[in-house]
Amino acid sequence: MTCLLFLLPLLTWLPSHATDSLVISSFIMAACLGIAALVRETLLLRPVANVLIEVAPLTGASVPTPVDTSRPFGDAKPLVSILIPAHNASAWIADTLRSALAQSWPRKEIIVVDDGSRDRTVAIVRRFESQGVRLIVQKNQGASAARNRAFAASRGEFIQWLDADDLLAPDKIAIQMAAMRESGNKRLLLSSGWAMFLYRYYRAEFIPSGLWQDLSPVEWLLRKMGENLYMQTATWLMSRELAEAAGPWDTRLTADDDGEYFCRVLLASDGVRFVPGSKVFYRGPGLAFQSLSHLGTSVSKRRAFWLSMQLHVKYIRSLEDSSRVRAACRRYLQTSFLSFYPDQPDIVSQAKKLARNLDGGDLQPPALSWKYAWVKNIFGWRLAKRAQLLLLSVKWGIKRYLDKLQYIFDGAHSRRLFAANAPISNAKIQ
């Protein structure tokens, strides 16, 4: 009954012609079953143990080697700029700043660019100014413009990008800087492990992917596009020289701006080195429905995402235009086809044309899971996609709420991540 009362207001999202009693009852039944399973899964407290990273070697990649952090970075420690764009981030910005201030790397500057927030973000950041955090306030221009402003104001020889709701492990930068010292190559792009969380970052599980490897630019892009993988924004550490060679963030992109930007960084780099032991905590996807990365029904975000996709294809083909690259590009187009089909017929047409130019084949209509396929068969694609968005929003909203409750119940004794030089003793790595 609780599920029913909770979901009835949400049915107003659906078009009026879809409120047939059979549709409503079927949708509520599926949602309640899913929510019941979700509550059972979330409330199940599993023991978390320390596990060392073990990444199996993959074809075309070298196995990352551990980094020795005991030796100093020559006779000097370069300045690292931690750059944070913020927009209506009052719920999270304090924790993000604490994680930046807790970095064991001694020489750092922290710059926050507030992009026209209408909540208490600016007031909260000002509380950290006495600890060296620098605040810049601008009118709302978008995340890319805020990042460009932060970079222009920075002085660091190395750059650490950080979103306003994510967290860095205390030794994240120090471990990567040790790797940079060992390489002696400022055109090397460094990456780290990352794990997703909602509130309880101390229970995050680090699950390696095919990108947790030392890879050349073309091999990295092949895996990203061909296997639908990605690395979170804060995992990267780069030299200022490399950032300047890549150019500024593209302010046209209101979606997937980070994906496009790091493609250009890769192109300007001498390759990626994955640094074991360095860690980032990515807050999502419970917040995804209010985030930049969520396309939803926004036409402008879909068009920005399509522009980013075309640039991805252009960038990787500039490195290598082989059959394997074309096949990866085609898989990339097919994987993301659902974002545009059938709502944006112009983009659908352009995507099909690009696929044919790659290998002569055509893109297939996206497949939906059984939970939404019956809605599509009866009421069409648009309603099926609306139902999918609604159910995902409900699912992650509930999961986020339950995780917040457990975060409160756990108490401060479980939250020691930002103590000076504190080890991450209970973040599980599979």
Side-chain angles (χ1 to χ4, degrees), residues 113-184:
V113 174
D114 180 80
D115 188 46
S117 293
R118 291 171 294 182
D119 61 4
R120 298 183 61 253
T121 298
V122 170
I124 292 172
V125 175
R126 290 202 188 281
R127 299 207 303 255
F128 291 86
E129 286 182 317
S130 62
Q131 301 177 60
V133 174
R134 181 179 174 189
L135 172 64
I136 300 173
V137 179
Q138 67 178 26
K139 293 181 179 179
N140 180 242
Q141 301 174 49
S144 291
R147 292 185 178 107
N148 289 336
R149 180 80 179 272
F151 182 77
S154 68
R155 300 176 293 108
E157 191 176 343
F158 291 88
I159 304 299
Q160 167 68 65
W161 300 104
L162 179 61
D163 288 345
D165 56 352
D166 298 328
L167 309 173
L168 304 175
D171 53 0
K172 191 269 185 186
I173 291 176
I175 293 175
Q176 288 185 313
M177 289 298 290
M180 183 63 71
R181 176 210 61 211
E182 289 184 357
S183 73

Side-chain angles (χ1 to χ4, degrees), residues 53-276:
I53 296 179
E54 294 184 1
V55 182
L58 301 174
T59 305
S62 58
V63 179
T65 54
V67 175
D68 175 16
T69 60
S70 61
R71 292 176 295 167
F73 196 104
D75 296 328
K77 291 186 180 294
L79 179 67
V80 176
S81 297
I82 303 175
L83 308 181
I84 306 172
H87 178 70
N88 294 337
S90 60
W92 323 111
I93 188 69
D95 282 345
T96 297
L97 289 174
R98 291 188 190 102
S99 82
L101 289 165
Q103 289 303 294
S104 59
W105 185 256
R107 294 201 65 217
K108 55 185 175 287
E109 64 173 357
I110 302 170
I111 300 175
V112 178
V113 174
D114 180 80
D115 188 46
S117 293
R118 291 171 294 182
D119 61 4
R120 298 183 61 253
T121 298
V122 170
I124 292 172
V125 175
R126 290 202 188 281
R127 299 207 303 255
F128 291 86
E129 286 182 317
S130 62
Q131 301 177 60
V133 174
R134 181 179 174 189
L135 172 64
I136 300 173
V137 179
Q138 67 178 26
K139 293 181 179 179
N140 180 242
Q141 301 174 49
S144 291
R147 292 185 178 107
N148 289 336
R149 180 80 179 272
F151 182 77
S154 68
R155 300 176 293 108
E157 191 176 343
F158 291 88
I159 304 299
Q160 167 68 65
W161 300 104
L162 179 61
D163 288 345
D165 56 352
D166 298 328
L167 309 173
L168 304 175
D171 53 0
K172 191 269 185 186
I173 291 176
I175 293 175
Q176 288 185 313
M177 289 298 290
M180 183 63 71
R181 176 210 61 211
E182 289 184 357
S183 73
N185 181 1
K186 289 188 177 181
R187 284 298 182 108
L188 194 64
L189 178 59
L190 303 181
S191 67
S192 74
W194 64 277
M196 194 174 291
F197 77 104
L198 298 176
Y199 283 87
R200 296 180 299 160
Y201 54 81
Y202 44 89
R203 294 185 64 86
E205 297 185 3
F206 289 76
I207 304 174
S209 77
L211 296 180
W212 292 32
Q213 304 283 328
D214 299 341
L215 296 166
S216 68
V218 68
E219 291 292 341
W220 197 95
L221 288 172
L222 270 171
R223 295 183 184 204
K224 175 190 177 179
M225 299 171 67
E227 301 175 31
N228 193 28
L229 302 174
Y230 69 100
M231 293 293 273
Q232 202 275 334
T233 302
T235 60
W236 303 107
L237 184 74
M238 70 188 74
S239 68
R240 189 175 203 88
E241 174 184 322
L242 180 55
E244 290 175 342
W249 290 70
D250 192 334
T251 56
R252 297 174 298 173
L253 300 179
T254 55
D256 199 34
D257 55 340
D258 53 343
E260 187 278 334
Y261 173 76
F262 285 107
C263 276
R264 284 187 282 116
V265 176
L266 276 165
L267 263 63
S269 76
D270 289 338
V272 175
R273 179 172 180 188
F274 177 76
V275 184

Side-chain angles (χ1 to χ4, degrees), residues 280-343:
V280 167
F281 298 80
Y282 168 46
R283 196 185 298 269
L287 301 177
F289 299 93
Q290 294 83 40
S291 72
L292 176 69
S293 59
H294 178 54
L295 300 180
T297 57
S298 169
V299 174
S300 62
K301 285 189 175 184
R302 287 175 182 168
R303 295 195 180 283
F305 183 41
W306 173 236
L307 174 58
S308 176
M309 289 181 64
Q310 293 176 87
L311 292 171
H312 272 71
V313 173
K314 174 185 175 182
Y315 294 151
I316 190 172
R317 292 181 70 185
S318 72
L319 296 173
E320 178 185 318
D321 196 14
S322 63
S323 58
R324 67 172 188 155
V325 165
R326 289 171 176 250
C329 290
R330 194 178 191 285
R331 289 193 296 273
Y332 176 58
L333 294 174
Q334 184 67 65
T335 299
S336 300
F337 200 35
L338 181 60
S339 299
F340 317 109
Y341 187 94
D343 310 270

